[in-house]
Amino acid sequence: MMTSDMQGNEVTNANCESLDAYEQAIAAFNLYHGDPIALLDRALAVSPDFPMAHIAKALMLALSSEPAAFELATSQLSTAHNLKMNSRERSLFDAARVLSSGHWVKAAQMLNLHNMYFPRDLLALQTGHLLDFYCADSRNMRERIARAMPLWSEQMPGYSVVLGMYAFGLEEDGHYAQAEDTGRNALTLEPLDCWAHHAVAHVMEMQGRPEDGIGWMLAREPYWSGELNFFKVHNWWHRAVFHLDLGQTDQALALYDSAVRDSKSPGRSKWSTLQRFCGGCIFVTLMWVIAGKSWRKSGVIMPMEKPIPLTIGTRRWHFLALDLILN
């Protein structure tokens, strides 16, 4: 049985009920909100031969970057291997198999080609975007989304998510003014898009605007700090960094001790798949910021509009980073 998702991509072996659960899962993944794995399990309970549900679950597991999750992703793909698939599904299945083997760069390259043939495959776009992030490919974080955007329109479901990814790609590639405008536009369409919110926060950090950054985090806190938001720990951390930039060490550590270290994010106590994924993002970003502060301390010029004071030793932040990931 063939039907289509909200972006017009044909999907195989799904009925109305399983497709609805799948769409909810993708939306949860897009916004880092809720539990997409549980929703995919619901879709598979209704339609066990629904290949996109298997593929999506495998991709989300593999993106966690945890060895045990890679094994689960591989097992999920083995279950789906002999299912009937169309060309888009088979292409994404092949990329998921490479990713689940731990080959991030090759998977990102495969998704480049996939995204060219299927530019409205939102799951593939987001997976590729995150892999570009993991691999520190800032140019492709922007260009991957830019190549797809002409095939999207504001009326299409998921367009705000594409804008949010584009905003972060622009920021990581140094186009700060355009990144901020794009991120704000994305949030006008979807206020819960914490990736777009996070992109604007990055702009303010990179431009040395900590006061603006704190104001931004406070004004939009209801949208990114809810109990179902599994990216909220990372955004709390960003607010702590803004305080650190202002020399407000006590405020930064207070946020770390309360909102970050003792967070009650969904699944954090069990270090669930969703939290492993979010933790991976936190770890990568923490390491980048730690390195940046270390370079500034050593006198290396960073691409900042004004210097940011180092008020906590790099070694202390290193321990905070490891503590967040390992505990």
Side-chain angles (χ1 to χ4, degrees):
M1 180 169 56
M2 192 78 72
T3 186
S4 298
D5 65 18
M6 288 193 294
Q7 288 76 38
N9 301 295
E10 290 187 342
V11 296
T12 308
N13 289 337
N15 61 27
C16 291
E17 184 180 354
S18 58
L19 182 59
D20 180 64
Y22 170 81
E23 296 281 17
Q24 291 181 53
I26 299 305
F29 178 58
N30 294 156
L31 300 178
Y32 306 97
H33 189 272
D35 190 343
I37 298 293
L39 289 163
L40 290 170
D41 286 340
R42 185 192 305 172
L44 288 168
V46 175
S47 299
D49 294 336
F50 182 7
M52 279 305 300
H54 287 284
I55 294 166
K57 185 175 179 180
L59 287 171
M60 293 178 198
L61 288 165
L63 283 168
S64 75
S65 74
E66 286 289 307
F70 280 131
E71 294 176 7
L72 291 172
T74 299
S75 175
Q76 194 73 42
L77 293 172
S78 296
T79 301
H81 180 74
N82 292 321
L83 295 179
K84 179 182 177 181
M85 300 184 198
N86 60 37
S87 59
R88 179 183 70 93
E89 292 164 340
R90 182 59 65 181
S91 171
L92 193 54
F93 175 90
D94 290 342
R97 186 168 53 185
V98 170
L99 176 58
S100 67
S101 299
H103 299 293
W104 290 0
V105 173
K106 184 177 180 181
Q109 292 170 344
M110 292 174 70
L111 287 168
N112 271 336
L113 184 60
H114 179 94
N115 294 148
M116 290 174 68
Y117 281 105
F118 308 104
R120 291 193 290 267
D121 187 336
L122 188 53
L123 172 62
L125 276 175
Q126 187 173 354
T127 300
H129 181 70
L130 289 170
L131 287 176
D132 293 335
F133 175 49
Y134 287 3
C135 297
D137 189 348
S138 59
R139 175 172 293 182
N140 208 45
M141 286 183 70
R142 173 177 60 85
E143 292 185 352
R144 180 189 298 275
I145 307 303
R147 287 191 293 266
M149 284 190 70
L151 281 301
W152 285 77
S153 70
E154 187 172 333
Q155 291 70 41
M156 291 184 64
Y159 177 72
S160 64
V161 176
V162 177
L163 272 187
M165 290 189 286
Y166 189 47
F168 192 63
L170 286 165
E171 182 278 324
E172 290 296 284
D173 206 31
H175 303 278
Y176 299 134
Q178 188 181 358
E180 183 168 351
D181 288 344
T182 304
R184 289 178 181 273
N185 288 340
L187 290 163
T188 298
L189 297 172
E190 176 47 82
L192 290 175
D193 189 344
C194 58
W195 193 253
H197 172 91
H198 163 254
V200 176
H202 265 250
V203 169
M204 293 172 177
E205 173 69 23
M206 294 305 294
Q207 290 184 327
R209 296 160 53 195
E211 296 94 343
D212 289 345
I214 292 171
W216 175 249
M217 303 304 285
L218 287 171
R220 303 200 72 263
E221 187 175 315
Y223 296 108
W224 58 261
S225 65
E227 287 301 312
L228 294 179
N229 191 313
F230 63 89
F231 204 69
K232 68 176 182 178
V233 174
H234 184 75
N235 275 320
W236 278 118
W237 176 84
H238 267 289
R239 184 180 154 194
V241 170
F242 286 129
H243 285 290
L244 180 65
D245 293 341
L246 290 171
Q248 298 170 351
T249 305
D250 290 344
Q251 291 94 321
L253 289 176
L255 283 171
Y256 171 79
D257 290 336
S258 58
V260 178
R261 181 68 179 86
D262 294 330
S263 171
K264 299 299 187 292
S265 292
R268 178 170 167 78
S269 62
K270 298 180 181 178
W271 202 236
S272 68
T273 296
L274 301 183
Q275 288 303 310
R276 284 198 296 268
F277 168 71
C278 189
C281 292
I282 292 169
F283 181 78
V284 172
T285 311
L286 276 167
M287 292 302 103
W288 282 0
V289 173
I290 290 164
K293 292 185 182 297
S294 179
W295 292 333
R296 286 195 292 274
K297 186 177 182 182
S298 302
V300 177
I301 296 175
M302 298 290 286
M304 310 287 286
E305 293 188 0
K306 60 183 179 180
I308 292 178
L310 180 72
T311 56
I312 297 182
T314 299
R315 184 176 178 83
R316 177 72 180 280
W317 271 107
H318 203 149
F319 281 126
L320 294 182
L322 292 175
D323 185 50
L324 174 60
I325 300 303
L326 297 176
N327 293 284

